[in-house]
């Protein structure tokens, strides 16, 4: 599995941004070094950013709405009239705040302190304060810019995680309960299956996910009937996971079916950047796999958690009709650079529209704190998951194992105003638009499924909204999504090509 769903290029971008962040502060402090003893300019740096005023903000300070929200900025040397630059999107690409035409606004005084309005075209990303002469402060964030209204969280209610609160109804599959992923059996407890079983039982793991294949030809011998039989004898469920690329989907489907024949209780498709844009391949893979394992066999998809960052990955095929019944987004908060609570908010906001049971996949590698692991487990239940799992066995520390049996935190709840659907409008594109169009086409037969939110889609959506008694905005607010998802998606044959988006 490629950790966190991030490619090497993506990780390089993150590292480069971090370096620029350091250089940003450096250029504010040393621009005049070596100028004959002239005093360097004062240090200017962003220390904290949060949404204000409270009535326009949600439960998470880094989330701000274009509908009434402001950002309160504090730090060393920041003052009114300084320009704040935001991330933007241009020609389908997400650009950082150092882009020459980045959206910007000026700091101003208010009763709440120094605040800045959110520019119309700002998108989720990091921000910086420009100092002149190409100098800027540190890059701060990410700041999550949302298009729906935010509201203060409701007053505390009875904890959702307690002995008296009903737990989510189990699915009756191996995806229920607590799971742990194994990359190499040989590097997990020395490859001793009895030791693996003993460790799992001691630390509350009921399902182990073991790699079974890579690509269309490389079946891993570690996923054998003997391994499955031994783990079953110890009372554990055993699932196979395969990494797929999309170049030879029939071969990949055959290897997935081979793991099922070896006794796997479920199968997980690990489809990442190699599958972006390969709608036809995804459709052929799913059709071939279902033909071999049957329509009811439990299948899951483990891919990028932020759908809006990977617009061309065929989520709508993998999670669509006859596809995987379970969604296991790789919610590796430390890799992404957010908190556990933030990764839940963004992931669920972007994935709920696919209508599949979400069973979060977290991380025990990179030494997350015990409180983070407890928070992940607690929030999984609060969000309605019947199970969750962690990547991966061989990198879990002794403290990490202990955290898997610590009591849950009943104070962690779902910030319901944020758990909504993605807002799409004219100019949007990608798989979420495609999924919306497939449902809209059930009501508007002339609707094309292109993945591009153009004028025809706006017109058809407005007519649909009017027919449903909804405000005809031509945008996908949560109420519109609910009405659309009540319709079956039209069938699209991608084997002859891919969406235009």
């Amino acid at each position: 599995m490629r950790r966190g769903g991030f490619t090497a290029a993506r990780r390089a971008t993150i590292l480069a941004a971090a370096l620029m962040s350091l250089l940003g502060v450096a250029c504010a402090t040393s621009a005049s070094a070596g100028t004959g003893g002239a005093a360097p300019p004062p240090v200017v740096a962003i220390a904290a950013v949060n949404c204000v005023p409270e009535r326009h903000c949600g439960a998470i300070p880094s989330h701000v709405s274009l509908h009434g929200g402001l950002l309160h900025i504090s730090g060393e040397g920041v003052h009114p009239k300084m320009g704040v630059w935001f991330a933007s999107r241009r020609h389908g690409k997400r650009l950082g705040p150092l882009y020459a035409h980045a959206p910007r606004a000026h700091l101003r005084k208010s009763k709440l302190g120094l605040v800045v309005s959110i520019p119309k075209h700002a998108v989720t990303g990091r921000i910086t304060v420009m100092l002149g002469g190409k100098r800027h402060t540190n890059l701060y964030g990410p700041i999550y810019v949302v298009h729906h209204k935010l509201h203060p969280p409701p007053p505390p209610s009875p904890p959702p995680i307690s002995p008296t609160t009903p737990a989510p109804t189990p699915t009756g599959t191996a995806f229920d309960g607590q799971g742990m992923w194994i990359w190499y059996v040989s590097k997990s407890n020395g490859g001793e299956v009895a030791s693996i079983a003993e460790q799992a039982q001691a630390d509350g793991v009921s399902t182990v996910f073991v790699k079974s294949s890579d690509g269309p030809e490389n079946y891993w011998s570690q996923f054998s009937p003997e391994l499955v039989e031994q783990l079953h004898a110890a009372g554990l469920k055993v699932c196979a996971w395969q990494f797929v690329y999309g170049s030879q989907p029939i071969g990949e489907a055959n290897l997935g079916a081979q793991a099922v024949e070896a006794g796997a209780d479920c199968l997980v498709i690990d489809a990442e950047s190699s599958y972006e844009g390969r709608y036809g391949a995804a459709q052929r893979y799913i059709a071939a796999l279902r033909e071999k394992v049957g329509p009811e066999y439990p299948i899951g998809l483990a891919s990028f958690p932020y759908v809006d960052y990977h617009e061309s990955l065929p989520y709508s095929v993998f999670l669509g009709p006859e596809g995987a019944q379970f969604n296991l987004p790789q919610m590796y908060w430390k890799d992404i650079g957010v908190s556990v609570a933030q990764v839940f908010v963004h992931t669920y906001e972007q994935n709920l529209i696919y209508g599949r049971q979400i069973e979060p996949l977290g991380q025990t590698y990179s030494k997350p704190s015990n409180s983070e692991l407890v928070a992940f487990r607690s929030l999984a239940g609060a969000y309605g998951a019947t199970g969750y799992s962690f990547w991966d066995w061989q990198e879990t520390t002794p403290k990490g194992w202990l955290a898997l049996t610590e009591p849950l935190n009943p104070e962690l709840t779902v910030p319901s105003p944020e758990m909504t659907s993605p807002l799409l409008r004219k100019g949007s594109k990608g798989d979420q638009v495609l999924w919306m169009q497939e449902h809209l086409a059930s009501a508007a037969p002339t609707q094309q499924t292109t993945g591009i939110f153009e004028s025809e889609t706006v017109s058809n959506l407005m007519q649909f909204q009017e027919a449903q008694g909804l405000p005809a905005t031509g945008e996908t607010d949560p109420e519109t999504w609910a009405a659309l998802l009540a319709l079956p998606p039209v069938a699209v044959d991608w084997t002859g090509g891919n969406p235009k988006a």
Side-chain angles (χ1 to χ4, degrees):
M1 173 162 300
R2 311 290 176 85
R3 295 178 180 169
F6 286 103
T7 61
R10 173 71 173 143
R11 286 194 291 272
T13 301
I14 294 173
L15 292 173
L19 179 59
M20 290 176 68
S21 175
L22 295 173
L23 292 175
V25 176
C27 68
T29 57
S30 61
S32 61
T35 57
V43 173
V44 183
I46 302 174
V49 178
N50 60 281
C51 176
V52 293
E54 183 178 351
R55 67 181 182 277
H56 291 306
C57 301
I60 301 178
S62 60
H63 285 235
V64 63
S65 172
L66 288 170
H67 298 280
L70 302 171
L71 285 180
H72 173 267
I73 297 181
S74 60
E76 188 173 359
V78 294
H79 57 73
K81 297 185 180 181
M82 281 184 163
V84 180
W85 288 27
F86 291 75
S88 62
R89 190 187 298 274
R90 186 177 178 88
H91 302 311
K93 295 182 179 180
R94 189 179 297 270
L95 303 170
L98 299 182
Y99 173 62
H101 301 289
R104 63 202 68 179
H106 287 90
L107 285 165
R108 66 178 188 273
K109 285 184 178 180
S110 76
K111 294 180 180 180
L112 300 171
L114 281 179
V115 299
V116 64
S117 299
I118 311 303
K120 180 180 179 180
H121 298 295
V123 300
T124 296
R126 292 194 286 180
I127 65 172
T128 190
V129 173
M130 299 304 293
L131 307 176
K134 297 185 179 181
R135 296 181 300 119
H136 59 89
T137 66
N138 53 310
L139 298 175
Y140 189 96
I143 300 299
Y144 294 87
V145 178
V146 302
H147 294 271
H148 55 273
K149 291 184 178 180
L150 296 176
H151 306 280
S157 56
I161 308 171
S162 71
T164 59
T165 301
T169 303
T171 66
T173 71
F175 290 107
D176 294 335
Q178 183 165 252
M180 181 64 76
W181 289 58
I182 291 179
W183 188 359
Y184 293 100
V185 171
S186 61
K187 296 183 180 180
S188 303
N189 288 43
E192 296 292 333
V193 179
S195 178
I196 290 174
E198 183 180 356
Q199 178 98 59
Q201 293 168 336
D203 294 307
V205 171
S206 58
T207 300
V208 288
F209 297 82
V210 182
K211 184 164 185 179
S212 59
S213 63
D214 191 284
E217 299 176 347
N218 186 14
Y219 187 86
W220 285 30
S221 60
Q222 67 179 13
F223 198 91
S224 64
E226 293 75 23
L227 172 74
V228 174
E229 183 179 352
Q230 291 180 64
L231 292 175
H232 278 172
L236 297 173
K237 299 288 181 64
V238 190
C239 292
W241 66 272
Q242 59 172 158
F243 194 90
V244 295
Y245 299 87
S247 57
Q248 299 181 50
I250 304 304
E252 292 174 335
N254 290 339
L255 294 193
Q258 183 176 340
V260 174
E261 293 173 0
D265 296 299
C266 69
L267 175 69
V268 181
I269 309 161
D270 184 3
E272 302 184 20
S273 58
S274 298
Y275 243 106
E276 290 185 301
R278 294 179 180 267
Y279 278 75
Q283 198 167 60
R284 287 190 289 271
Y285 168 86
I286 288 294
L289 181 62
R290 279 299 181 195
E291 184 178 358
K292 290 180 176 294
V293 304
E296 304 299 327
Y297 183 82
I299 297 175
L301 171 71
S303 191
F304 305 112
Y306 290 1
V307 180
D308 53 332
Y309 282 23
H310 300 276
E311 298 167 337
S312 65
L313 196 139
Y315 295 93
S316 57
V317 177
F318 285 121
L319 297 173
E322 302 180 4
Q325 306 101 314
F326 298 88
N327 187 0
L328 286 69
Q330 299 174 24
M331 297 163 60
Y332 304 155
W333 64 93
K334 288 177 71 73
D335 267 12
I336 299 172
V338 297
S339 68
V340 174
Q342 287 171 327
V343 81
F344 268 90
V345 168
H346 197 139
T347 298
Y348 273 73
E349 177 186 80
Q350 300 298 319
N351 285 267
L352 284 173
I353 60 172
Y354 295 104
R356 297 302 193 180
Q357 176 69 29
I358 299 176
E359 311 286 32
L361 170 53
Q363 66 178 111
T364 49
Y365 72 93
S366 294
K367 299 180 180 179
S369 68
N370 281 28
S371 62
E372 288 176 313
L373 294 175
V374 170
F376 190 91
R377 295 169 53 229
S378 302
L379 284 173
Y383 274 79
T386 63
Y388 53 86
S389 56
F390 292 100
W391 175 270
D392 69 325
W393 190 295
Q394 67 194 57
E395 296 176 275
T396 306
T397 66
K399 288 184 177 180
W401 282 109
L402 291 175
L404 302 187
T405 57
E406 289 189 11
L408 300 179
N409 184 349
E411 297 181 0
L412 295 177
T413 59
V414 177
S416 55
E418 275 72 66
M419 198 171 79
T420 184
S421 306
L423 184 91
L424 307 176
R425 50 162 58 103
K426 186 175 182 180
S428 299
K429 69 174 188 175
D431 192 75
Q432 292 173 327
V433 174
L434 183 63
W435 187 235
M436 181 268 291
Q437 290 173 329
E438 291 179 7
H439 288 81
L440 182 59
S442 287
T446 60
Q447 175 63 53
Q448 298 184 45
T449 50
T450 61
I452 301 174
F453 203 131
E454 28 58 76
S455 298
E456 180 197 30
T457 302
V458 174
S459 177
N460 287 335
L461 185 60
M462 292 178 69
Q463 292 179 42
F464 174 78
Q465 290 171 321
E466 289 177 352
Q468 296 291 318
L470 299 170
T473 61
E475 300 178 351
T476 59
D477 52 53
E479 293 76 17
T480 298
W481 268 116
L484 285 168
L485 295 175
L487 302 173
V490 299
V492 182
D493 182 5
W494 295 117
T495 57
N498 294 308
K500 295 179 181 178

